[in-house]
């Protein structure tokens, strides 16, 4: 039986709009902040702490952290990634109602993973793998092996959707039926054609 595996960021949720506010919290220009935000994100997704991440971002952005900055930035960042796309939410509801076996494979820091697990939509997923919890992130082939081990499935039993071509290619190389995310309607067509 097929597993349907989703990425989270910009697949299930909309792109964060929090970056200008986070930049303002550090008194940094939006451009310099955004560059620093993404430059250190892989380490954050692989398990570095909130404090380590925001300290690196602040240093790269030419800013300093005050006593409450890490908590403020973490809270704002989590909130920014917390908005489910309505069409994706409906797709999840429909698949769950139809008995599909759903899994989540997300590059995400620990703080977001703990938030996500408490959200109603997360209960649709029988298995949830967050990169920070396992110390590796897409497109590392190891994370796809870890996923299929947790599913008790062969890679070919998995249909996977991700918004980043590099992750789709890595998943395909690992044997998953991986597709570049092009919206919920496209995903429905892929799944119904399977």
């Amino acid at each position: 039986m097929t597993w349907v595996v989703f990425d989270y960021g910009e697949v299930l949720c909309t792109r964060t709009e929090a970056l200008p506010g986070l930049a303002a919290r550090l008194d940094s220009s939006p451009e310099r902040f955004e560059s620093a935000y993404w430059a250190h994100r892989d380490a954050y997704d692989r398990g570095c702490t909130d404090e380590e991440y925001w300290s690196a971002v602040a240093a790269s952005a030419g800013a300093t952290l005050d006593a409450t900055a890490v908590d403020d930035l973490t809270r704002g960042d989590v909130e920014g990634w917390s908005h489910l796309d309505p069409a994706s939410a409906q797709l999840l509801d429909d698949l769950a109602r139809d008995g599909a076996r759903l899994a989540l494979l997300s590059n995400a820091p620990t703080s977001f993973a703990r938030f996500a697990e408490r959200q109603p939509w997360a209960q649709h997923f029988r298995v949830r793998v967050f990169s920070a919890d396992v110390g590796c992130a897409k497109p590392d082939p190891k994370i796809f092996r870890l996923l299929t081990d947790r599913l008790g499935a062969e890679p070919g039993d998995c249909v996977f959707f991700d918004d980043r071509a590099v992750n789709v290619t890595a998943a395909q190389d690992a044997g998953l039926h991986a597709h570049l995310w092009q919206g919920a309607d496209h995903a429905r067509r892929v799944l119904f054609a399977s």
Side-chain angles (χ1 to χ4, degrees):
M1 188 174 175
T2 299
W3 283 88
V4 183
V5 184
F6 290 95
D7 174 39
Y8 178 77
E10 298 185 61
V11 171
L12 298 181
C13 77
T14 57
R15 183 174 177 82
T16 183
E17 296 180 1
L19 299 192
L22 298 175
R25 176 63 181 83
L26 281 181
D27 254 349
S28 175
S29 74
E31 298 80 16
R32 192 167 181 191
F33 174 83
E34 185 165 351
S35 176
Y37 178 92
W38 291 115
H40 299 284
R41 198 69 184 192
D42 186 61
Y44 199 26
D45 287 343
R46 290 175 186 267
C48 82
T49 66
D50 297 334
E51 185 170 359
E52 289 167 335
Y53 174 66
W54 293 115
S55 294
V57 169
S60 293
T64 55
L65 297 177
D66 61 47
T68 61
V70 171
D71 287 343
D72 292 346
L73 293 164
T74 301
R75 191 168 37 255
D77 190 47
V78 167
E79 198 283 327
W81 289 108
S82 69
H83 305 283
L84 243 57
D85 177 86
S88 296
Q90 187 62 58
L91 175 61
L92 284 183
D93 289 345
D94 293 346
L95 290 171
R97 184 197 63 230
D98 292 345
R101 295 194 303 177
L102 303 177
L104 182 70
L105 178 61
S106 177
N107 285 359
T110 303
S111 52
F112 184 82
R114 300 295 79 81
F115 165 83
E117 289 172 339
R118 298 190 304 269
Q119 304 314 301
W121 57 262
Q123 305 317 305
H124 290 316
F125 295 102
R126 298 184 192 187
V127 173
R128 296 182 295 267
V129 177
F130 294 102
S131 59
D133 292 337
V134 297
C136 66
K138 298 172 290 181
D140 188 329
K142 189 165 47 175
I143 202 164
F144 297 107
R145 289 193 299 274
L146 189 149
L147 170 72
T148 54
D149 286 349
R150 289 200 180 171
L151 299 179
E154 294 299 319
D157 296 333
C158 302
V159 178
F160 174 61
F161 294 98
D162 197 291
D163 65 306
R164 296 186 62 214
V166 66
N167 295 340
V168 171
T169 299
Q172 290 169 341
D173 290 346
L176 285 74
H177 298 285
H179 302 271
L180 188 66
W181 181 254
Q182 297 174 56
D185 288 342
H186 176 260
R188 286 179 193 277
R189 290 193 297 272
V190 168
L191 292 170
F192 291 135
S194 297

